[in-house]
Amino acid sequence: AYELGTEGEEYIFEGKGVPVLDRSHGSVAATVEALNSGALPLAEGYCVVFSKSKQHYYLLWREDKEDEAFAKVDLSGHQQQPEEPWSTQQVVMLGALGSEASWQHRAGLLDKAAYNSVSEAVAALNNGVVQVDQGYCAVFSESQQCYFLLYRSDKSAEAESFP
């Protein structure tokens, strides 16, 4: 995901042939999950989504469409930040409130009062504010009212074994 701007800065992407998802898709992590699972088909392979929790627009793209997506919004010379071990694209939906028994014995839950969104938790993990030796943990998304498993880039196989 690439942060494009806030409300009022729609000129960055409007009219450039990039699909803009409606506000019912208010979470980057949940949108990525829906795109990856096929629940949200997107022929172009890229789109713009507004994050309700961060109040910013984000450009999302399929791995093979990165250059095309950035060219569409005139960011072809962008400097992609170095890969971080934690990403909002490395998530698995665990379930709604009440689903804790099915996964809590396998993944620790980050403090709900301190971290109530996937992007907040990912930033804290990448900045070293939160340490998770296991390589994955759960976070409750206030905006989506469900739990997500966040996993480090080297733990994708284990993450896929979760419910």
Side-chain angles (χ1 to χ4, degrees), residues 68-123:
E68 184 179 337
F70 279 89
K72 284 278 190 179
V73 291
D74 297 328
L75 296 172
S76 53
H78 79 284
Q79 291 295 319
Q80 192 62 349
Q81 295 182 4
E83 277 277 320
E84 303 256 31
W86 299 89
S87 167
T88 55
Q89 296 180 16
Q90 293 160 201
V91 297
V92 174
M93 187 183 296
L94 292 173
L97 284 169
S99 68
E100 299 87 353
S102 67
W103 52 264
Q104 68 183 3
H105 62 285
R106 295 175 60 199
L109 174 64
L110 297 183
D111 181 358
K112 287 167 128 180
Y115 304 101
N116 63 3
S117 81
V118 169
S119 54
E120 262 181 20
V122 165

Side-chain angles (χ1 to χ4, degrees), residues 1-5 57-61 70 75 78-80:
Y2 185 89
E3 185 179 305
L4 291 171
Y57 288 101
Y58 290 86
L59 177 65
L60 306 179
W61 62 91
F70 279 89
L75 296 172
H78 79 284
Q79 291 295 319
Q80 192 62 349

Side-chain angles (χ1 to χ4, degrees), residues 10-106:
E10 290 84 359
Y11 64 88
I12 294 169
F13 53 83
E14 281 185 340
K16 296 185 178 179
V18 179
V20 179
L21 301 183
D22 65 49
R23 294 283 179 108
S24 68
H25 301 281
S27 162
V28 171
T31 302
V32 168
E33 176 76 18
L35 289 165
N36 287 338
S37 72
L40 179 60
L42 196 62
E44 294 85 352
Y46 48 85
C47 65
V48 171
V49 65
F50 185 77
S51 169
K52 290 177 187 170
S53 64
K54 292 294 182 186
Q55 295 291 298
H56 279 85
Y57 288 101
Y58 290 86
L59 177 65
L60 306 179
W61 62 91
R62 198 173 59 217
E63 196 172 6
D64 63 322
K65 295 289 190 169
E66 180 177 358
D67 291 339
E68 184 179 337
F70 279 89
K72 284 278 190 179
V73 291
D74 297 328
L75 296 172
S76 53
H78 79 284
Q79 291 295 319
Q80 192 62 349
Q81 295 182 4
E83 277 277 320
E84 303 256 31
W86 299 89
S87 167
T88 55
Q89 296 180 16
Q90 293 160 201
V91 297
V92 174
M93 187 183 296
L94 292 173
L97 284 169
S99 68
E100 299 87 353
S102 67
W103 52 264
Q104 68 183 3
H105 62 285
R106 295 175 60 199

Side-chain angles (χ1 to χ4, degrees), residues 139-156:
V139 64
F140 183 73
S141 169
E142 192 68 38
S143 65
Q144 296 298 306
Q145 289 293 297
C146 65
Y147 294 98
F148 288 93
L149 179 76
L150 308 180
Y151 60 91
R152 206 172 49 219
S153 53
D154 62 330
K155 296 291 183 177
S156 61

